[in-house]
Every structure is written in structure tokens, then in C-alpha cells.
Amino acid sequence: MNTIRQKHIRRLFYKNAAVATLLLILITGSLTLAGSTTKKQQESHQISKDFKLQYGKYSYYWTMDALDDKSLSTYWDGDRSGILYHKMQQLVEDLKSDQNFDFYSCDTQPLLLYQKTKKIFLDGYENGDIQSSQWIKHGHPYSEVKALMVSSKFFNCNHIRITKGKGFMPSDYRYKTGATIPILLGNAYRTQYQIGDTFKGHYLFKTFTFKVIGFLQKRSFYLASDNEFKSVERYIILPAWKIRQKSFFARVVTQNELNGNIRTRLTVGSLQNTVDSIVSRYNRYWSVGVHDQQHSSWESVTDKYIRMTGQVTKQYNLLVFLVTIFTSVSFFLCIIGILRRNRYHFSIEYLCGGSRHDIWLECMGFTGILLLTGDLLSSGILFLSGYRIQNLLSVQLLTVVLFILFTAGCYFYIQKMNLTEIIGGNE
């Protein structure tokens, strides 16, 4: 009996070779698409989960010095004894070390290179405004490039990692006159420089020799003061120095370190009170402004990204569902069409003593071979493309589900199929 069924299954393939080939292509393509979509769905779910864990439990605020003109002028030019400068240093250190929040400096001050560089690194490139960022003077090229002066918590709070070289050490944040300045570079600079390369540049009124000590990982972003995540691919990263000298340069650098971010679970009112309390220890005329994007006209970018990543995950879930439905309906309709075209042969088989159960088993053999072949082909494609085991397992699961659905559907269809009228009625 099994030999006869195998013969009938081979006949189904022979009589429906063109349709069977198209069905095999459809199954292979659909399963491959489902496997790749499942991977994207898993990745988007993980990204959404990680983003919620990293950003969802915190509020983010931007800080900036809010000294009035008189206080600023006194701090810059009237502080001959250095008392105000010392207080400003202590204020910055207290903000960095406070246990109620994570404060880090993040000052966007361009760096002037004594060389020509690619346009993508120029300050203002993203806004299409680079006319004043590159020039030639006395035959020598100059380029103003994007740079960030950051303190140590910048990397952890923005989840930025070093993929080559090393990060800043505690000693790198202590400024030494005449010393070579260690810097980190965004990933896009890897075609321009290597670890250990040095070059000269001008930063805040002084000329330095900079040394590359590391590169940031791809797709690194920081939360900028304009309420957007910005890529650091094209940035030069400098350490926020603690400078012992009381020079004008030192005063400007220390004041600029008040420009940064705060990550906290405090409400904005409690945070502002805490910051004001710290500032008042050193000068009752000084002020540090705290910008709260949560209650401004802007929507919190972290809330927006959490919502967006969640929506992407839902869309991938929907896409997996639609691929499954499309494959099931298309394949089932084609199988039903094949059964209709072979009603005459099934009727003869029925007349010769076969049963509807035998016809159903032949149909299942035909369907199973197509699904198994499509499964093997799609799994091979996904494996060679570097997909993980769980993605391949999702294809196997989908294949089993499809086979069960087709088994049930074909069973009921064959039970309802009229095989008597072709062979002369019930007689």
C-alpha cells in the first residue's frame, strides 16, 4: 500500500510540476522572509528593552552657567587672588560628586586644526554651514572641527564604549602645562588616524599637541542640549580638565564645565533646589540654570524613543503575523487547486478500493515534501547568511504550524470532496 501511495505522490509532482516548483519557491521565500523578520523583531524587542532599562527610569536635564554680566566680569578679570576661581572649581567638583544625581560636563566647543580635513568633520557640516569652518591663511590650511569636552560620567550615562585603544584615565583629567593632550575619536576618524598619532590644534585660546588614545564604538550617541540624540561618529572628545593655574584659559575652561547634563530620579523642583543649595555654598550671586525638557514645549526625547522602539517591535510582530497568514492562504489555495484538478484520478482510486483517508495521506505526503524541502532551503540560506539558531528554530516552528494547518484543512476538504459524480454516482 505504501508503494502505491508513493507512486501516487510522484504522479502528483509529475502532473503538477510547474505549480509545485512555484509553490516551492513561495515556501522558501516566505520562510526565509519570516526568519529574517523574526530576527529583526527580536533585535527591535531587545533594543526597546535595553532602552527602557537605560533611559526609562531617569529624567534628563541640561545645565548651563547663569552668571550675570557683573559676576562673569568679576570672575574673569577681577579675581586677582584666585578665590573665585577656586570656588568655581569646587562648585564643579561638588556637582560631579553629588549623590542625588549624575552630573557630567559636555561642552560643544569647536577645535581648530592646523590642517585640511574631510568636510564631514567640520563644525556645522550637518546643518550645511561649513563656509566659515575651513580656510587658508598665508598658504596654510585651517579647519574647525566638532569637539566635545566631557567629564568621566559622560560615557556611562550615554552608554558609550571604547572599541579600540583605551579610555580616559583619572590622570587625563588633570591638566599639565605643555603636556600632550590625550583624545578620543569617533569611529569615522578611523580612516584618518591610528592609535598613537599626534597632531597640533587650537582650543580655547591655546595651542596643544593632541594624541589619539582610543576610538569610540560605532553608532554611539549622546543626549545633546537641543533634546536630541546626536552621533559622536565625527567628534573629537577631550577630557574636562581640572587646572591648577589661575589663567584666563583656566577660568573659561572651568566655567564651561558647568555646561552639561544631569541624570536623576528627582523632580525638577527638587533638583533645582539641590543645585541652588550647592551653588550658594560658594557665591550667593552665582546661578546654574537647569533646563527641564519634560515641561517645555519639546517632548522628552527619551520618552519619544521609548515609544518609537515599542512601535517598531509591534510592527515587526505584525509583519511576522502577516507573512504567516499570506503564506498559509496562498499555499492552501494552491493545494486545493491541485486537489480539484486531480479529482478524476482520486475518483478512480476511490473506485478501485481506496479510501478518502488514503487520498488524504497522499495529499499530506505531497504537502510535507514541499514544506520540508522549502524548510531545508530557507534554513540553509539563513544559516549561510549568519543568522542565529533561534532564528532557524522559528522557521522550523512556522513549518510545523503550516503543516498542521494544511493537514486539517485538506482533511476537511477531502471529506467534502464529491468523488462519486465523476465515476457514475454512488453505484
mmCIF file of all heavy atoms in Angstrom, residues 142-172:
data_model
loop_
_atom_site.group_PDB
_atom_site.id
_atom_site.type_symbol
_atom_site.label_atom_id
_atom_site.label_comp_id
_atom_site.label_asym_id
_atom_site.label_seq_id
_atom_site.Cartn_x
_atom_site.Cartn_y
_atom_site.Cartn_z
ATOM 1 N N TYR A 142 43.459 75.670 7.610
ATOM 2 C CA TYR A 142 42.911 75.586 8.966
ATOM 3 C C TYR A 142 41.509 74.982 8.872
ATOM 4 O O TYR A 142 40.764 75.265 7.926
ATOM 5 C CB TYR A 142 42.828 76.963 9.625
ATOM 6 C CG TYR A 142 44.167 77.612 9.856
ATOM 7 C CD1 TYR A 142 44.772 78.393 8.870
ATOM 8 C CD2 TYR A 142 44.829 77.451 11.069
ATOM 9 C CE1 TYR A 142 46.003 78.990 9.083
ATOM 10 C CE2 TYR A 142 46.062 78.055 11.296
ATOM 11 C CZ TYR A 142 46.646 78.821 10.311
ATOM 12 O OH TYR A 142 47.860 79.413 10.517
ATOM 13 N N SER A 143 41.160 74.199 9.880
ATOM 14 C CA SER A 143 39.842 73.555 9.886
ATOM 15 C C SER A 143 39.274 73.557 11.305
ATOM 16 O O SER A 143 39.953 73.122 12.248
ATOM 17 C CB SER A 143 39.931 72.099 9.399
ATOM 18 O OG SER A 143 40.519 72.017 8.117
ATOM 19 N N GLU A 144 38.043 74.045 11.437
ATOM 20 C CA GLU A 144 37.339 73.967 12.714
ATOM 21 C C GLU A 144 36.476 72.704 12.720
ATOM 22 O O GLU A 144 35.560 72.575 11.902
ATOM 23 C CB GLU A 144 36.453 75.196 12.929
ATOM 24 C CG GLU A 144 37.173 76.364 13.553
ATOM 25 C CD GLU A 144 36.213 77.434 14.049
ATOM 26 O OE1 GLU A 144 35.027 77.418 13.645
ATOM 27 O OE2 GLU A 144 36.647 78.296 14.829
ATOM 28 N N VAL A 145 36.769 71.787 13.626
ATOM 29 C CA VAL A 145 36.068 70.504 13.650
ATOM 30 C C VAL A 145 35.230 70.373 14.920
ATOM 31 O O VAL A 145 35.445 71.090 15.899
ATOM 32 C CB VAL A 145 37.067 69.333 13.563
ATOM 33 C CG1 VAL A 145 37.840 69.390 12.254
ATOM 34 C CG2 VAL A 145 38.024 69.336 14.755
ATOM 35 N N LYS A 146 34.298 69.454 14.876
ATOM 36 C CA LYS A 146 33.403 69.213 16.016
ATOM 37 C C LYS A 146 34.176 68.571 17.167
ATOM 38 O O LYS A 146 34.945 67.628 16.955
ATOM 39 C CB LYS A 146 32.255 68.308 15.601
ATOM 40 C CG LYS A 146 31.327 68.930 14.560
ATOM 41 C CD LYS A 146 30.210 67.993 14.167
ATOM 42 C CE LYS A 146 30.702 66.909 13.215
ATOM 43 N NZ LYS A 146 31.026 67.429 11.881
ATOM 44 N N ALA A 147 33.955 69.088 18.370
ATOM 45 C CA ALA A 147 34.644 68.558 19.540
ATOM 46 C C ALA A 147 33.742 68.660 20.767
ATOM 47 O O ALA A 147 32.867 69.525 20.844
ATOM 48 C CB ALA A 147 35.954 69.303 19.780
ATOM 49 N N LEU A 148 33.967 67.750 21.696
ATOM 50 C CA LEU A 148 33.252 67.747 22.976
ATOM 51 C C LEU A 148 34.271 67.676 24.102
ATOM 52 O O LEU A 148 35.199 66.860 24.055
ATOM 53 C CB LEU A 148 32.319 66.536 23.084
ATOM 54 C CG LEU A 148 31.048 66.508 22.237
ATOM 55 C CD1 LEU A 148 30.378 65.148 22.383
ATOM 56 C CD2 LEU A 148 30.099 67.608 22.673
ATOM 57 N N MET A 149 34.112 68.535 25.101
ATOM 58 C CA MET A 149 34.905 68.433 26.319
ATOM 59 C C MET A 149 34.008 67.795 27.379
ATOM 60 O O MET A 149 32.978 68.368 27.753
ATOM 61 C CB MET A 149 35.381 69.808 26.788
ATOM 62 C CG MET A 149 36.259 69.752 28.024
ATOM 63 S SD MET A 149 36.850 71.385 28.550
ATOM 64 C CE MET A 149 35.308 72.136 29.096
ATOM 65 N N VAL A 150 34.370 66.608 27.848
ATOM 66 C CA VAL A 150 33.467 65.835 28.701
ATOM 67 C C VAL A 150 34.177 65.383 29.980
ATOM 68 O O VAL A 150 35.402 65.218 30.009
ATOM 69 C CB VAL A 150 32.920 64.603 27.959
ATOM 70 C CG1 VAL A 150 32.241 65.009 26.661
ATOM 71 C CG2 VAL A 150 34.019 63.587 27.683
ATOM 72 N N SER A 151 33.373 65.167 31.022
ATOM 73 C CA SER A 151 33.882 64.572 32.255
ATOM 74 C C SER A 151 33.600 63.071 32.241
ATOM 75 O O SER A 151 32.945 62.549 31.335
ATOM 76 C CB SER A 151 33.259 65.258 33.472
ATOM 77 O OG SER A 151 31.853 65.245 33.400
ATOM 78 N N SER A 152 34.062 62.385 33.270
ATOM 79 C CA SER A 152 34.095 60.921 33.229
ATOM 80 C C SER A 152 32.723 60.265 33.132
ATOM 81 O O SER A 152 32.571 59.226 32.481
ATOM 82 C CB SER A 152 34.829 60.393 34.467
ATOM 83 O OG SER A 152 34.193 60.852 35.654
ATOM 84 N N LYS A 153 31.676 60.831 33.754
ATOM 85 C CA LYS A 153 30.360 60.199 33.749
ATOM 86 C C LYS A 153 29.653 60.298 32.397
ATOM 87 O O LYS A 153 28.621 59.657 32.197
ATOM 88 C CB LYS A 153 29.476 60.806 34.832
ATOM 89 C CG LYS A 153 29.891 60.438 36.242
ATOM 90 C CD LYS A 153 28.926 61.004 37.283
ATOM 91 C CE LYS A 153 29.349 60.615 38.695
ATOM 92 N NZ LYS A 153 28.426 61.165 39.720
ATOM 93 N N PHE A 154 30.200 61.082 31.482
ATOM 94 C CA PHE A 154 29.613 61.223 30.152
ATOM 95 C C PHE A 154 29.462 59.873 29.469
ATOM 96 O O PHE A 154 28.440 59.578 28.844
ATOM 97 C CB PHE A 154 30.492 62.146 29.304
ATOM 98 C CG PHE A 154 30.175 62.145 27.833
ATOM 99 C CD1 PHE A 154 29.162 62.926 27.322
ATOM 100 C CD2 PHE A 154 30.910 61.347 26.947
ATOM 101 C CE1 PHE A 154 28.864 62.926 25.965
ATOM 102 C CE2 PHE A 154 30.626 61.350 25.591
ATOM 103 C CZ PHE A 154 29.601 62.136 25.103
ATOM 104 N N PHE A 155 30.474 59.019 29.599
ATOM 105 C CA PHE A 155 30.491 57.754 28.868
ATOM 106 C C PHE A 155 29.467 56.770 29.432
ATOM 107 O O PHE A 155 28.738 56.123 28.673
ATOM 108 C CB PHE A 155 31.897 57.158 28.911
ATOM 109 C CG PHE A 155 32.937 58.061 28.306
ATOM 110 C CD1 PHE A 155 33.716 58.885 29.106
ATOM 111 C CD2 PHE A 155 33.112 58.110 26.929
ATOM 112 C CE1 PHE A 155 34.661 59.731 28.555
ATOM 113 C CE2 PHE A 155 34.059 58.954 26.364
ATOM 114 C CZ PHE A 155 34.827 59.770 27.179
ATOM 115 N N ASN A 156 29.398 56.654 30.743
ATOM 116 C CA ASN A 156 28.456 55.719 31.347
ATOM 117 C C ASN A 156 27.011 56.176 31.156
ATOM 118 O O ASN A 156 26.133 55.375 30.823
ATOM 119 C CB ASN A 156 28.765 55.566 32.833
ATOM 120 C CG ASN A 156 27.855 54.562 33.499
ATOM 121 O OD1 ASN A 156 27.763 53.415 33.080
ATOM 122 N ND2 ASN A 156 27.163 54.985 34.545
ATOM 123 N N CYS A 157 26.747 57.472 31.351
ATOM 124 C CA CYS A 157 25.375 57.976 31.239
ATOM 125 C C CYS A 157 24.843 57.901 29.814
ATOM 126 O O CYS A 157 23.626 57.790 29.601
ATOM 127 C CB CYS A 157 25.299 59.420 31.745
ATOM 128 S SG CYS A 157 25.506 59.584 33.531
ATOM 129 N N ASN A 158 25.728 57.967 28.830
ATOM 130 C CA ASN A 158 25.309 57.878 27.432
ATOM 131 C C ASN A 158 25.595 56.511 26.819
ATOM 132 O O ASN A 158 25.397 56.318 25.624
ATOM 133 C CB ASN A 158 26.018 58.960 26.605
ATOM 134 C CG ASN A 158 25.501 60.349 26.910
ATOM 135 O OD1 ASN A 158 24.423 60.731 26.474
ATOM 136 N ND2 ASN A 158 26.270 61.109 27.689
ATOM 137 N N HIS A 159 26.070 55.569 27.652
ATOM 138 C CA HIS A 159 26.285 54.185 27.218
ATOM 139 C C HIS A 159 27.218 54.120 26.006
ATOM 140 O O HIS A 159 26.940 53.437 25.017
ATOM 141 C CB HIS A 159 24.955 53.507 26.916
ATOM 142 C CG HIS A 159 23.949 53.686 28.015
ATOM 143 N ND1 HIS A 159 23.986 52.989 29.193
ATOM 144 C CD2 HIS A 159 22.890 54.538 28.128
ATOM 145 C CE1 HIS A 159 22.993 53.369 29.974
ATOM 146 N NE2 HIS A 159 22.319 54.305 29.354
ATOM 147 N N ILE A 160 28.315 54.853 26.112
ATOM 148 C CA ILE A 160 29.317 54.904 25.046
ATOM 149 C C ILE A 160 30.525 54.079 25.466
ATOM 150 O O ILE A 160 31.040 54.229 26.575
ATOM 151 C CB ILE A 160 29.727 56.356 24.746
ATOM 152 C CG1 ILE A 160 28.529 57.127 24.168
ATOM 153 C CG2 ILE A 160 30.910 56.404 23.784
ATOM 154 C CD1 ILE A 160 28.802 58.593 23.931
ATOM 155 N N ARG A 161 30.993 53.211 24.567
ATOM 156 C CA ARG A 161 32.107 52.321 24.862
ATOM 157 C C ARG A 161 33.283 52.592 23.925
ATOM 158 O O ARG A 161 33.117 53.128 22.830
ATOM 159 C CB ARG A 161 31.664 50.862 24.717
ATOM 160 C CG ARG A 161 30.474 50.483 25.601
ATOM 161 C CD ARG A 161 30.828 50.439 27.071
ATOM 162 N NE ARG A 161 29.673 50.118 27.898
ATOM 163 C CZ ARG A 161 28.926 51.027 28.517
ATOM 164 N NH1 ARG A 161 29.199 52.316 28.394
ATOM 165 N NH2 ARG A 161 27.900 50.660 29.267
ATOM 166 N N ILE A 162 34.454 52.176 24.376
ATOM 167 C CA ILE A 162 35.674 52.275 23.576
ATOM 168 C C ILE A 162 35.912 50.918 22.910
ATOM 169 O O ILE A 162 35.946 49.887 23.578
ATOM 170 C CB ILE A 162 36.893 52.641 24.447
ATOM 171 C CG1 ILE A 162 36.584 53.838 25.356
ATOM 172 C CG2 ILE A 162 38.109 52.909 23.577
ATOM 173 C CD1 ILE A 162 36.217 55.092 24.620
ATOM 174 N N THR A 163 36.042 50.910 21.580
ATOM 175 C CA THR A 163 36.237 49.646 20.872
ATOM 176 C C THR A 163 37.696 49.410 20.474
ATOM 177 O O THR A 163 38.069 48.282 20.167
ATOM 178 C CB THR A 163 35.377 49.601 19.598
ATOM 179 O OG1 THR A 163 35.683 50.738 18.776
ATOM 180 C CG2 THR A 163 33.900 49.615 19.946
ATOM 181 N N LYS A 164 38.494 50.446 20.478
ATOM 182 C CA LYS A 164 39.904 50.303 20.129
ATOM 183 C C LYS A 164 40.706 51.298 20.954
ATOM 184 O O LYS A 164 40.327 52.454 21.085
ATOM 185 C CB LYS A 164 40.115 50.555 18.631
ATOM 186 C CG LYS A 164 41.544 50.276 18.164
ATOM 187 C CD LYS A 164 41.686 50.490 16.661
ATOM 188 C CE LYS A 164 43.100 50.190 16.199
ATOM 189 N NZ LYS A 164 43.259 50.421 14.733
ATOM 190 N N GLY A 165 41.820 50.829 21.517
ATOM 191 C CA GLY A 165 42.605 51.702 22.359
ATOM 192 C C GLY A 165 42.093 51.679 23.792
ATOM 193 O O GLY A 165 41.603 50.668 24.286
ATOM 194 N N LYS A 166 42.155 52.811 24.459
ATOM 195 C CA LYS A 166 41.719 52.905 25.857
ATOM 196 C C LYS A 166 40.980 54.219 26.078
ATOM 197 O O LYS A 166 41.060 55.149 25.276
ATOM 198 C CB LYS A 166 42.920 52.823 26.789
ATOM 199 C CG LYS A 166 43.913 53.974 26.606
ATOM 200 C CD LYS A 166 45.093 53.865 27.562
ATOM 201 C CE LYS A 166 46.055 55.043 27.363
ATOM 202 N NZ LYS A 166 47.191 54.982 28.326
ATOM 203 N N GLY A 167 40.237 54.277 27.170
ATOM 204 C CA GLY A 167 39.520 55.487 27.531
ATOM 205 C C GLY A 167 40.375 56.412 28.382
ATOM 206 O O GLY A 167 41.563 56.147 28.624
ATOM 207 N N PHE A 168 39.759 57.478 28.858
ATOM 208 C CA PHE A 168 40.482 58.434 29.693
ATOM 209 C C PHE A 168 40.755 57.832 31.068
ATOM 210 O O PHE A 168 39.874 57.210 31.677
ATOM 211 C CB PHE A 168 39.688 59.720 29.856
ATOM 212 C CG PHE A 168 39.548 60.520 28.591
ATOM 213 C CD1 PHE A 168 38.331 61.091 28.243
ATOM 214 C CD2 PHE A 168 40.625 60.712 27.751
ATOM 215 C CE1 PHE A 168 38.195 61.835 27.087
ATOM 216 C CE2 PHE A 168 40.506 61.447 26.578
ATOM 217 C CZ PHE A 168 39.284 62.010 26.247
ATOM 218 N N MET A 169 41.952 58.048 31.574
ATOM 219 C CA MET A 169 42.322 57.678 32.929
ATOM 220 C C MET A 169 42.109 58.890 33.842
ATOM 221 O O MET A 169 42.035 60.030 33.377
ATOM 222 C CB MET A 169 43.781 57.229 32.981
ATOM 223 C CG MET A 169 44.109 56.088 32.017
ATOM 224 S SD MET A 169 43.208 54.576 32.409
ATOM 225 C CE MET A 169 44.017 54.137 33.951
ATOM 226 N N PRO A 170 42.004 58.679 35.180
ATOM 227 C CA PRO A 170 41.835 59.830 36.095
ATOM 228 C C PRO A 170 42.905 60.905 35.906
ATOM 229 O O PRO A 170 42.610 62.103 36.015
ATOM 230 C CB PRO A 170 41.928 59.189 37.484
ATOM 231 C CG PRO A 170 41.418 57.791 37.270
ATOM 232 C CD PRO A 170 41.911 57.395 35.896
ATOM 233 N N SER A 171 44.123 60.481 35.594
ATOM 234 C CA SER A 171 45.200 61.466 35.410
ATOM 235 C C SER A 171 44.996 62.324 34.164
ATOM 236 O O SER A 171 45.522 63.444 34.082
ATOM 237 C CB SER A 171 46.550 60.748 35.321
ATOM 238 O OG SER A 171 46.552 59.820 34.236
ATOM 239 N N ASP A 172 44.228 61.820 33.184
ATOM 240 C CA ASP A 172 43.994 62.580 31.949
ATOM 241 C C ASP A 172 43.122 63.810 32.197
ATOM 242 O O ASP A 172 43.130 64.745 31.383
ATOM 243 C CB ASP A 172 43.334 61.690 30.898
ATOM 244 C CG ASP A 172 44.243 60.559 30.441
ATOM 245 O OD1 ASP A 172 45.473 60.757 30.466
ATOM 246 O OD2 ASP A 172 43.721 59.489 30.067
#
